[in-house]
Amino acid sequence: MNLKQFSRDILILLATLAVAIGGYMAWDNHTYHDTSQAKVSLQQAAKAGDDTILIFHKTGCSDCRKVVTDVNRGIDKNAKSKIVVVDTKNSDLYKDYQVSEVPTFIRLHNGQEINRYSGTDTQQIATFLTASAQK
């Protein structure tokens, strides 16, 4: 193998790696990251007195897909609240909170609901996710 062939192979490898990383980053921002053991997380947050935002979505829901990047951006900006994300397709937790439409965002303090928002208005979602709980 000569230097020219080796350089070409390295360039192809680097280009493939860049495409893979870019694809992962795009996927990561365009999907919901469900909380494993959501009920346990909620119980722990309530016991600790943590502010919690509970986000309900459903796999395959067009409205949920429409706002997923805004939701992830809001989650990234929120440093004060614990975030619990639940897919209604994989959990019955939505019944406990009487969620009838998705996406739905519920703010909890000490395990008690303070307020909620259901819908796709990106400004409302951003405000909901970044505002601290009113105590």
Side-chain angles (χ1 to χ4, degrees):
M1 180 184 287
N2 62 29
L3 184 60
K4 190 174 182 180
Q5 176 67 34
F6 180 73
S7 297
R8 187 178 67 97
D9 290 347
I10 292 295
L11 185 61
I12 290 170
L13 179 64
L14 290 174
T16 303
L17 185 60
V19 168
I21 290 170
Y24 172 77
M25 291 174 66
W27 167 84
D28 189 51
N29 198 31
H30 289 85
T31 189
Y32 288 91
H33 304 285
D34 296 338
T35 305
S36 62
Q37 300 182 344
K39 281 188 178 186
V40 173
S41 293
L42 288 170
Q43 290 167 347
Q44 290 171 345
K47 189 174 185 180
D50 293 340
D51 293 329
T52 306
I53 297 176
L54 183 53
I55 301 171
F56 288 99
H57 71 96
K58 183 176 181 181
T59 300
C61 164
S62 61
D63 284 343
C64 298
R65 279 194 312 266
K66 178 179 166 184
V67 298
V68 66
T69 54
D70 298 297
V71 170
N72 286 333
R73 192 176 306 118
I75 289 171
D76 289 344
K77 289 181 180 178
N78 185 319
K80 297 178 182 176
S81 300
K82 179 170 182 59
I83 308 289
V84 177
V85 182
V86 179
D87 187 343
T88 60
K89 213 171 189 179
N90 301 326
S91 172
D92 288 339
L93 191 60
Y94 71 94
K95 294 176 184 175
D96 297 344
Y97 289 90
Q98 293 136 10
V99 172
S100 60
E101 59 183 299
V102 288
T104 293
F105 308 84
I106 302 174
R107 182 177 305 283
L108 306 168
H109 181 70
N110 291 327
Q112 300 298 311
E113 183 174 330
I114 296 173
N115 60 351
R116 73 169 56 202
Y117 171 72
S118 295
T120 60
D121 182 299
T122 55
Q123 185 60 46
Q124 288 268 30
I125 292 169
T127 300
F128 193 96
L129 291 176
T130 56
S132 60
Q134 300 168 358
K135 300 174 187 168

